[in-house]
């Protein structure tokens, strides 16, 4: 049996590096193992505001972090999902919730009952059968009751956080648990001449850091995985249409919404992420269809509240490393690649990559079969995510700008072609292995973009339509009453987790 890993070195701080440090700090407890994080003092954090998905809540709980402590420290608000405005057509909107719609009846998918009744002219709105959607529309929030045996009340939620404050929070958390924190830049990476493994790092302060496993959290540069090992990037710009962004922070106007807003614009889309102390705004766009100046002006014309930061412009390479794990180097976050943040997956991809690393944690042999399996799982996960991101663009009915006309005509992977075709044919949602988004998420897209199946599940012909309609009417009433009885989002925060004033405006 090979010797165990004894020295883990993380290069890069920020959200990615400190999530890795916090997670691994639990793993190294009671082991003969050291954990060192090297963070550049010269990197300016962006701090545009970060939206998450529900596994982020689980990640922090698994670290032993108290929910309220985290929310207060990061000026967080709650997120029940994403509202998409003007994506299908101008003036239309729909909601992507963190929950299934309705409840299965006789073991048949709930949405097929909606399809059957709509085919008969009933014109039901599937959003009426989602508690988090109705709660979001009323500007309310409630935590799910784990003891309630009611499928209509089963839903998840996430947070909007200040990513800069979150990194600071995890820094303190990790250092208290023994992580060695070094502020310095990596000036040289020494590779083993015989096997190409990373052997040691030389820092600009003269220190020499040796390690066994190196985790690259150095952002787009990929100081280790790219700079030293030259892995290369698989370009995805031929698939994903947006390659640039402008962002600005503004004062919060009114109460924060319990959801992220994603607003379709001339050449891309705008995000609105409310925190307790400010609003994060940004415009993701295609440089082929608008200029940086036009995008900047479009963003500034649409934001509310006084600007509290300068506008920042970003260019990002759309793609992924050819492998995210190579020899004894594991790339994480932006060092592993970038897909646009349309469904708030940035932090989630850090979590899922860490989970893969833990599952296949190496010893000093660095078994190639383990490495290959992690890379396969990672690539499959990204392929399915690309499909989900593309469906937001491909199904649009907008023809008012060249960008949206291009989106309707652009080529898509055969996996997505098949998924769309199957839903259009019979309302069936194809689910592949390693999907990040489940059936309800795909349904929110198909309904949101007004995709009507040619037929429904024929097994429903055995059920009486009047009985189905009555059952659904009862569900709708139950959901509406429950949403009406909840606190507003702001009232819930004020009562349970209002941030302290001393972290305002950081």
């Amino acid at each position: 049996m090979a010797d165990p890993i004894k020295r883990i070195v993380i290069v890069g701080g920020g959200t990615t590096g400190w999530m890795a440090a916090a997670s691994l700090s639990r793993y190294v407890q009671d082991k003969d193992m050291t954990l060192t994080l090297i963070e550049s003092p010269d990197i300016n954090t962006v701090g545009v505001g970060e939206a998450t998905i529900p596994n982020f809540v689980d990640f922090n709980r698994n670290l032993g972090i108290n929910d309220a402590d985290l929310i207060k420290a990061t000026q967080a608000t709650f997120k029940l999902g994403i509202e998409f405005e003007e994506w299908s057509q101008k003036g239309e909107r729909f909601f992507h919730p963190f929950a299934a719609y309705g409840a299965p009846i006789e073991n048949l998918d709930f949405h097929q009952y909606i399809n059957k009744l709509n085919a008969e002219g009933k014109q039901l709105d599937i959003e009426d059968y989602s508690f988090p959607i109705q709660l979001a529309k009323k500007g309310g929030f409630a935590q799910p009751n784990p003891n309630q045996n009611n499928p209509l009340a089963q839903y998840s939620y996430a947070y909007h956080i200040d990513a800069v404050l979150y990194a600071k929070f995890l820094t303190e958390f990790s250092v208290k648990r023994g992580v060695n924190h070094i502020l310095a830049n990596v000036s040289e990476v020494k590779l083993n001449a015989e096997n190409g493994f990373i052997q040691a790092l030389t820092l600009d302060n003269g220190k020499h850091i040796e390690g066994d496993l190196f985790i690259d959290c150095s952002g787009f540069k990929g100081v280790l995985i790219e700079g030293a090992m030259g892995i290369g990037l698989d370009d995805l710009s031929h698939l994903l249409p947006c390659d640039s962004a402008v962002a600005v922070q503004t004062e919060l106007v009114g109460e924060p919404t319990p959801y992220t807003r994603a607003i379709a614009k001339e050449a891309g889309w705008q995000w609105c992420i409310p925190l307790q102390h400010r609003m994060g705004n940004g415009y993701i766009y295609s440089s082929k269809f608008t200029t940086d100046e036009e995008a900047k002006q479009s963003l500034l014309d649409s934001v509310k509240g006084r600007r509290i930061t300068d506008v920042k412009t970003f260019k990002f390479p759309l793609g992924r490393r050819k492998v995210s794990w190579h020899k004894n180097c594991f790339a994480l976050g932006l060092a592993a690649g970038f897909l646009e943040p349309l469904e708030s997956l940035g932090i989630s991809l850090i979590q899922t990559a860490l989970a893969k690393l833990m599952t296949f944690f190496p010893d000093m042999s660095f078994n190639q079969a383990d490495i290959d399996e992690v890379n396969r799982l990672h690539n499959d996960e990204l392929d399915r995510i690309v499909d989900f991101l593309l469906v937001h663009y491909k199904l649009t009915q907008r023809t008012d700008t060249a960008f949206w006309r291009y989106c309707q005509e652009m080529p898509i992977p055969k996996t997505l072609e098949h998924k769309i075709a199957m839903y259009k044919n019979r309302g069936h949602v194809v689910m592949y292995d390693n999907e990040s988004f489940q059936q309800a998420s795909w349904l929110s897209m198909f309904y949101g973009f007004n995709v009507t199946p040619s037929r429904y599940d024929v097994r429903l012909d055995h059920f009486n339509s009047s009985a189905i309609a009555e059952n659904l009417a009862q569900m709708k009433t139950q959901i509406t009453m429950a949403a009406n009885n909840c606190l507003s989002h702001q009232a819930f925060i004020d009562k349970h987790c209002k941030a302290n004033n001393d972290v305002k405006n950081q």
Side-chain angles (χ1 to χ4, degrees), residues 220-255:
F220 290 126
K221 287 184 177 180
V223 170
L224 306 182
I225 195 77
E226 186 60 36
M229 306 185 103
I231 289 303
L233 196 73
D234 282 334
D235 185 14
L236 296 177
S237 59
H238 63 291
L239 286 175
L240 297 169
C242 296
D243 60 4
S244 306
V246 286
V248 67
Q249 296 175 13
T250 56
E251 287 184 339
L252 189 65
V253 176
E255 296 188 356

Side-chain angles (χ1 to χ4, degrees), residues 408-428:
Q408 291 184 47
E409 301 299 326
M410 67 182 180
I412 58 176
K414 291 191 179 300
T415 47
L416 179 56
E417 281 185 4
H418 178 62
K419 186 169 283 197
I420 293 173
M422 285 298 295
Y423 188 80
K424 285 183 175 179
N425 178 40
R426 58 172 63 239
H428 175 72

Side-chain angles (χ1 to χ4, degrees), residues 110-169:
F110 175 80
H111 72 278
Q112 293 287 10
Y113 291 88
I114 297 287
N115 292 346
K116 172 180 169 61
L117 293 180
N118 282 345
E120 296 172 352
K122 297 293 193 298
Q123 296 185 329
L124 300 180
D125 185 350
I126 199 169
E127 291 195 350
D128 290 337
Y129 304 92
S130 168
F131 176 63
I133 292 180
Q134 296 309 307
L135 194 54
K137 287 181 176 181
K138 296 179 182 301
F141 182 76
Q143 289 178 304
N145 182 350
N147 300 317
Q148 187 171 0
N149 186 23
N150 180 356
L152 296 176
Q154 294 174 4
Y155 63 99
S156 300
Y157 63 87
Y159 301 133
H160 306 113
I161 63 168
D162 184 317
V164 175
L165 293 178
Y166 182 57
K168 290 180 180 178
F169 182 85

